[in-house]
Amino acid sequence: MSDTTIDSAQLSGLELLRTAMTMPDRPPFIGDLVGMEIEELEHGRVVFALRTRPDFANPLGTTHGGICATLLDSVMGCAVHTTLAAGIGYTTLELKINYIRAVPVDGQRLTATGSTIHVGRTTATAEGRVVDEQGRLVAHATTTCVIFRGSR
């Protein structure tokens, strides 16, 4: 196995995420587009963060809701992923987001936490929260993921 190849069928979800995110030449992921930083990867819980920037602006000049949606989908999905055995995959089936406050595009640090609620044989649910630098809630969400066997 080379430095950029991971045999995902042999690693648990948590092992896969920890390995992929710490590789010097890791495979690209959505977080690269928005500058996500991985702060915590634990069983059933993950924390990612990013800094807002001007190209995240919506027509009103504040951070586009899609940035929080991407953060929330990422942390909740990865929280589910950390609980899965080797060879088990998942995908988002449903995503529900509540936006609480606008966020400037001036370098504000947003931190998202995702935690599993239930992980069953065929579905999993998780919840997520995004807070700003002052710890104020920016958005919160829930997700349902479908779990499938035999391929990631």
Side-chain angles (χ1 to χ4, degrees), residues 3-6 16 19-30 32:
D3 285 348
T4 58
T5 304
I6 300 170
L16 177 63
T19 301
M21 296 305 169
T22 59
M23 292 172 62
D25 191 24
R26 67 169 169 66
F29 80 115
I30 187 69
D32 293 335

Short mmCIF file of all heavy atoms in Angstrom, two decimals, residues 3-6 16 19-30 32:
data_model
loop_
_atom_site.label_atom_id
_atom_site.label_comp_id
_atom_site.label_asym_id
_atom_site.label_seq_id
_atom_site.Cartn_x
_atom_site.Cartn_y
_atom_site.Cartn_z
N ASP A 3 1.68 5.54 0.09
CA ASP A 3 1.32 6.57 1.04
C ASP A 3 -0.05 7.19 0.74
O ASP A 3 -0.67 7.78 1.61
CB ASP A 3 2.37 7.68 1.06
CG ASP A 3 3.63 7.26 1.80
OD1 ASP A 3 3.60 6.21 2.47
OD2 ASP A 3 4.63 7.97 1.69
N THR A 4 -0.53 7.12 -0.50
CA THR A 4 -1.79 7.74 -0.86
C THR A 4 -2.91 6.73 -1.06
O THR A 4 -4.00 7.08 -1.43
CB THR A 4 -1.65 8.58 -2.14
OG1 THR A 4 -1.20 7.73 -3.20
CG2 THR A 4 -0.68 9.72 -1.93
N THR A 5 -2.66 5.46 -0.80
CA THR A 5 -3.67 4.43 -0.95
C THR A 5 -4.00 3.83 0.40
O THR A 5 -3.12 3.48 1.17
CB THR A 5 -3.16 3.30 -1.89
OG1 THR A 5 -2.78 3.89 -3.13
CG2 THR A 5 -4.24 2.28 -2.12
N ILE A 6 -5.30 3.74 0.67
CA ILE A 6 -5.77 3.16 1.92
C ILE A 6 -6.68 1.99 1.55
O ILE A 6 -7.56 2.12 0.72
CB ILE A 6 -6.57 4.18 2.74
CG1 ILE A 6 -5.72 5.39 3.08
CG2 ILE A 6 -7.13 3.54 4.00
CD1 ILE A 6 -6.51 6.53 3.67
N LEU A 16 -10.13 4.53 9.49
CA LEU A 16 -10.03 5.08 8.14
C LEU A 16 -9.93 6.61 8.19
O LEU A 16 -9.06 7.20 7.55
CB LEU A 16 -11.21 4.64 7.29
CG LEU A 16 -11.25 5.22 5.88
CD1 LEU A 16 -10.05 4.76 5.07
CD2 LEU A 16 -12.54 4.85 5.19
N THR A 19 -6.59 7.71 9.70
CA THR A 19 -5.49 7.44 8.76
C THR A 19 -5.52 8.42 7.60
O THR A 19 -4.51 9.05 7.27
CB THR A 19 -5.56 5.99 8.24
OG1 THR A 19 -5.48 5.10 9.34
CG2 THR A 19 -4.46 5.69 7.24
N ALA A 20 -6.69 8.58 6.98
CA ALA A 20 -6.80 9.44 5.80
C ALA A 20 -6.48 10.89 6.13
O ALA A 20 -5.81 11.58 5.35
CB ALA A 20 -8.20 9.34 5.21
N MET A 21 -6.92 11.36 7.28
CA MET A 21 -6.73 12.77 7.63
C MET A 21 -5.33 13.10 8.11
O MET A 21 -4.96 14.27 8.17
CB MET A 21 -7.75 13.21 8.68
CG MET A 21 -9.18 13.14 8.21
SD MET A 21 -9.40 14.11 6.70
CE MET A 21 -11.03 13.59 6.22
N THR A 22 -4.54 12.10 8.44
CA THR A 22 -3.18 12.38 8.91
C THR A 22 -2.11 12.02 7.89
O THR A 22 -0.93 12.23 8.15
CB THR A 22 -2.90 11.62 10.23
OG1 THR A 22 -3.06 10.22 10.00
CG2 THR A 22 -3.83 12.08 11.33
N MET A 23 -2.51 11.50 6.75
CA MET A 23 -1.54 11.17 5.70
C MET A 23 -0.91 12.45 5.17
O MET A 23 -1.62 13.43 4.94
CB MET A 23 -2.22 10.42 4.56
CG MET A 23 -2.71 9.04 4.92
SD MET A 23 -3.70 8.29 3.60
CE MET A 23 -2.49 8.21 2.28
N PRO A 24 0.40 12.46 4.95
CA PRO A 24 1.05 13.67 4.41
C PRO A 24 0.49 14.05 3.04
O PRO A 24 0.34 15.22 2.74
CB PRO A 24 2.52 13.30 4.31
CG PRO A 24 2.69 11.99 4.98
CD PRO A 24 1.35 11.40 5.22
N ASP A 25 0.17 13.06 2.23
CA ASP A 25 -0.36 13.31 0.88
C ASP A 25 -1.73 12.65 0.79
O ASP A 25 -1.99 11.84 -0.07
CB ASP A 25 0.61 12.74 -0.16
CG ASP A 25 0.25 13.18 -1.56
OD1 ASP A 25 -0.40 14.23 -1.70
OD2 ASP A 25 0.62 12.46 -2.51
N ARG A 26 -2.63 13.03 1.71
CA ARG A 26 -3.92 12.38 1.80
C ARG A 26 -4.79 12.67 0.57
O ARG A 26 -4.58 13.68 -0.11
CB ARG A 26 -4.64 12.80 3.07
CG ARG A 26 -5.03 14.23 3.09
CD ARG A 26 -5.96 14.53 4.24
NE ARG A 26 -6.13 15.95 4.40
CZ ARG A 26 -6.74 16.75 3.53
NH1 ARG A 26 -7.24 16.26 2.44
NH2 ARG A 26 -6.84 18.03 3.75
N PRO A 27 -5.77 11.82 0.35
CA PRO A 27 -6.69 12.07 -0.76
C PRO A 27 -7.47 13.36 -0.51
O PRO A 27 -7.73 13.72 0.64
CB PRO A 27 -7.64 10.86 -0.73
CG PRO A 27 -6.98 9.85 0.13
CD PRO A 27 -6.05 10.57 1.05
N PRO A 28 -7.86 14.07 -1.58
CA PRO A 28 -8.64 15.29 -1.40
C PRO A 28 -10.03 14.97 -0.82
O PRO A 28 -10.54 13.87 -0.99
CB PRO A 28 -8.75 15.86 -2.81
CG PRO A 28 -8.49 14.71 -3.72
CD PRO A 28 -7.61 13.75 -2.97
N PHE A 29 -10.61 15.95 -0.12
CA PHE A 29 -11.98 15.81 0.38
C PHE A 29 -12.63 17.18 0.35
O PHE A 29 -11.97 18.20 0.15
CB PHE A 29 -12.00 15.15 1.76
CG PHE A 29 -11.68 16.05 2.93
CD1 PHE A 29 -12.65 16.31 3.89
CD2 PHE A 29 -10.43 16.61 3.08
CE1 PHE A 29 -12.37 17.12 4.97
CE2 PHE A 29 -10.15 17.43 4.17
CZ PHE A 29 -11.12 17.69 5.12
N ILE A 30 -13.94 17.22 0.54
CA ILE A 30 -14.70 18.47 0.43
C ILE A 30 -14.14 19.57 1.32
O ILE A 30 -14.20 20.74 0.99
CB ILE A 30 -16.21 18.22 0.71
CG1 ILE A 30 -17.06 19.46 0.43
CG2 ILE A 30 -16.43 17.74 2.13
CD1 ILE A 30 -17.16 19.82 -1.02
N ASP A 32 -11.23 20.48 1.81
CA ASP A 32 -10.16 21.24 1.17
C ASP A 32 -10.72 22.49 0.48
O ASP A 32 -10.06 23.52 0.44
CB ASP A 32 -9.41 20.38 0.15
CG ASP A 32 -8.63 19.25 0.80
OD1 ASP A 32 -8.27 19.37 1.98
OD2 ASP A 32 -8.41 18.23 0.11
#
